[in-house]
Amino acid sequence: MAAQATQNRINVNSEIGDLKRILIHRPDIGIGKIIPTKFQDWMYDDIVHLNSMKKEYDEYIKILLYFLDPEKIKEIDELEAAYKHLPEGSDCLNPSNPEYFNSDKVLDVQKVLSSLLNKETSDGQPNQIRNRIISAICAIEECSFETEQLLHQLEPNQLSKTLITGLLPQDLSQPDLNKFLFPPVPNLVFTRDIGAVIGDKYLLSKACKKARKRESLLIKFIAYYHFFAEDHNQVLEIIEDSAYFLLNENDQRKNKVTLEGGDVMIPSPRHVLIGCSERTSASAVNGFIHKIFSLANSEVEQITVVKIPQRREQMHIDTVFTQVKLNIWVLYGKFSEALQELKESKQVDYLDKLYHHKEDSFLEETEIYQFYKNKYQQPYHPEHNYLLQTEKDYAILNQGLAAQNLPAVAQKPKGLEHLLRQLSIIEFKVAPEDVIIIYCGGGNFPDDDREQWTDGCNLLALREGVVIGYDRNTITNQEFRQAYFNHYKRRGEALPAGMAAGFEVISAGELLRRFKAGEATPATVKDTLIELSSDELSRARGGSRCMSQPLLRAPFNF
Ligand SMILES: NC(=[NH2+])NCCC[C@H](N)C(=O)O
């Protein structure tokens, strides 16, 4: 019964079903300690003004609460009004403060961790998990025995904060104010990457970069002892083979498993996408395919691997495309074979074909591989090859689709845009002419590169057609305003009478004002792009999708 309760509260089988529960982390003091010499290691591209970043993020929290847990907004409003006379106001959005809003729908990792550290065992014994977490962190951070002892003295809230920020609470660290015990984990704001919910399973990340390893460790404890304490089988882990340690350095590099949630997408219950990228290794993808296909009672039948070039600003697949509606995607044009072909046909350019060295080519190359669980119409077998390669393979997939009354239009994707179009057509029964691809930065250089850099294609869907993005991506956002108009224009048709030209694009601040004034309610918001202020939020190469980890979405009836 208890396991059932957890399952009901953790389940995601689409990218755009109504968001019901989410894991986030508000920017913490660790981010306020970044210095230029650590930019590369800690994966920030500038010094962040922490207070401004928090202000930007707080609008994000409030938007989430209006949609997911509106009752909490009343509490927050009351507290903020009561503390108005103080220069700082009430920081009830700060998980370290006693007046924190404590929602069960919008969860902060720091708060979840502190309740895990606080948990009493059923027999009233001291919490062993707390001791284990301290030992594990001290081991990976190579702390002294003295530091370990110090951590044991902290009360749960303080301990949780210290484990995340690396900083000792001020009163204990006197006279060394803000003493560091170990480095912060400034990328924890990008909760997307620390794991991924696939159906009712929780896939743990295995961070690629040293700066994010502690995040993977913390979420491992949270997943096993908090979310799935009653049923550890719900947690999935992908690790290297047992003989990995015997391999030489070169082979170890090839076989290393690293996996981050930004590379996992679950457009429909039966079709999962996984990126093979700077952060998610080939070996992890291989393990992922076998792990998912071998699950009993899993709905996932197809896995598409999207291999993208390894680049800093495109570290996961969600930095180059995300889903907006059943028929709408936003895509970085450099990854659209259709857009690239169009450009080539406008100005004949033979350069790419003539280069001797592939790496001299300007064209971004993606590779797409598709795997199908029922290729042999038998239960999964690790020795079988599930890769769809030939026309015959796709014919089998089409038979399967036809049997389910789905359009039998499967074929090997020609590129990423083709794949997205196919997903809309096959998974969501969208008519081919109705699929809309919105290009980041309008698909034109240099706006495309500028706005991809600040996460123009990385959007979080609160529900179908209601997405959150950054205000600074003005050209991409303008494309949203004109999305339907442009779509019909490209088809050589006029916009149908009564149809809006595109999405409403509204700042988070203005939407919050309208909600508060009763001029709008979350239920009335449709086809909307909500713009977050992003002067500071955008400095670490992560957008709203990266800053979110959906734990529960309403099942989508495809
Ligand atoms: N899902 C994502 N795209 N996450 C972006 C993570 C950005 C972060 N600074 C990192 O480099 O790790």
Side-chain angles (χ1 to χ4, degrees), residues 248-312:
N248 66 36
E249 236 174 71
N250 205 14
D251 288 341
Q252 280 198 339
R253 206 173 313 121
K254 278 198 233 145
N255 287 279
K256 179 127 197 76
V257 169
T258 66
L259 190 152
E260 298 184 352
D263 276 315
V264 180
M265 279 196 203
I266 173 152
S268 85
R270 58 167 294 283
H271 196 158
V272 177
L273 308 186
I274 174 120
C276 186
S277 65
E278 183 193 78
R279 303 296 176 80
T280 299
S281 65
S283 200
V285 170
N286 191 50
F288 178 88
I289 295 166
H290 287 297
K291 176 75 79 187
I292 299 289
F293 280 170
S294 59
L295 290 172
N297 310 322
S298 160
E299 285 184 76
V300 180
E301 286 175 12
Q302 195 170 341
I303 296 174
T304 296
V305 179
V306 179
K307 186 170 168 225
I308 56 172
Q310 301 196 350
R311 292 175 65 122
R312 157 85 186 115

Side-chain angles (χ1 to χ4, degrees), residues 42-44 187 190 192-193 209 212 260-263 278-279 312 315-316 318-319 455 458 540-543 545-546:
W42 290 356
M43 297 174 291
Y44 269 67
N187 291 291
F190 305 117
R192 174 66 61 168
D193 301 326
K209 303 280 182 184
R212 304 199 68 173
E260 298 184 352
D263 276 315
E278 183 193 78
R279 303 296 176 80
R312 157 85 186 115
M315 81 298 278
H316 302 116
D318 69 359
T319 62
D455 284 284
N458 184 276
R541 315 280 69 76
R545 188 181 193 272
C546 314

